[in-house]
Amino acid sequence: MQKLFDDTRTYQPGDPELEIIGDRAKLAQWRHKGVGPAYYRLGRKIIYQGTDLNLWADANRHEPTGGNL
């Protein structure tokens, strides 16, 4: 399966690549609620690893059921 994020990279809120899953406010809301992708809190800085973002995206992938139209 194709990866949405670079596994070898780290991302921070505000990086344009993160807009695919949500803006800065949405990511903050998810962290507050304890949902969304795994992250590191280093002091006041938030860091997302590409591998964690890809795992989270894969876990939220939905296959079409091929239902009747």
Side-chain angles (χ1 to χ4, degrees):
M1 166 173 270
Q2 185 178 16
K3 306 272 184 175
L4 295 176
F5 298 95
D6 182 351
D7 280 339
T8 64
R9 191 172 155 209
T10 59
Y11 299 86
Q12 295 181 28
D15 285 349
E17 296 87 353
L18 289 179
E19 293 288 324
I20 194 170
I21 60 172
D23 62 14
R24 183 182 287 246
K26 175 59 76 180
L27 293 170
Q29 194 175 58
W30 284 346
R31 288 192 305 271
H32 178 74
K33 292 180 177 181
V35 299
Y39 64 93
Y40 292 95
R41 181 181 301 276
L42 305 174
R44 294 176 57 131
K45 192 170 275 211
I46 301 296
I47 307 282
Y48 294 96
Q49 285 188 316
T51 52
D52 290 332
L53 292 168
N54 284 320
L55 286 171
W56 179 81
D58 286 344
N60 287 282
R61 185 171 183 265
H62 297 271
E63 284 286 336
T65 59
N68 297 331
L69 294 177

